[in-house]
Amino acid sequence: MASKLLQMKSKAVQVSCFVVKHGNAYYKQLLEKNKHYVQDPPTIEKCNLLSKQLLYTRLASITVRQEAFWKELDYMKQLWKHRQDLKVEDAGIAALFGLECFCWFCAGEIVGRGFTFTGYYL
């Protein structure tokens, strides 16, 4: 166990040295590549304006997302009404999607419990 800990420590030191050497160059390259997204001058007022724009843009998109939700719901109702016409492939895809959702739910529960399978730590 101690040897694994020493290996992990040496790997962490190597990664840290790499980041110290090359992190600044990567940061500059990233900013240069995405400079068209940067607001100049970067002031607090500009940040507040952008956050308000984001908030109200998201609020404005609620109606579009709501309409899309109702269209999807109507489609599912139509599928349920005509379920005798459903192909095995479609049913299999739906079953796999449900299984995937359940697996992600279980993974979230395990992570939420602190990576334990038996229950919560007390």
Side-chain angles (χ1 to χ4, degrees), residues 46-94:
K46 193 62 142 171
C47 290
N48 288 335
L49 174 68
L50 289 172
S51 66
K52 284 182 183 178
Q53 286 177 342
L54 177 64
L55 172 71
Y56 289 112
T57 302
R58 295 268 172 102
L59 286 175
S61 71
I62 288 175
T63 56
V64 175
R65 289 184 281 155
Q66 186 180 19
E67 290 171 4
F69 168 76
W70 288 114
K71 284 181 185 177
E72 286 287 327
L73 188 63
D74 289 338
Y75 175 73
M76 292 303 295
K77 286 179 184 177
Q78 290 301 319
L79 274 179
W80 188 252
K81 283 183 184 176
H82 304 291
R83 62 184 175 268
Q84 64 273 11
D85 299 335
L86 208 61
K87 294 185 281 187
V88 175
E89 295 170 358
D90 296 335
I93 289 172

Side-chain angles (χ1 to χ4, degrees), residues 22-38:
H22 303 290
N24 194 21
Y26 175 73
Y27 175 74
K28 287 180 181 178
Q29 178 188 9
L30 185 68
L31 280 181
E32 183 64 32
K33 189 170 85 173
N34 296 304
K35 68 180 178 184
H36 56 278
Y37 295 117
V38 176

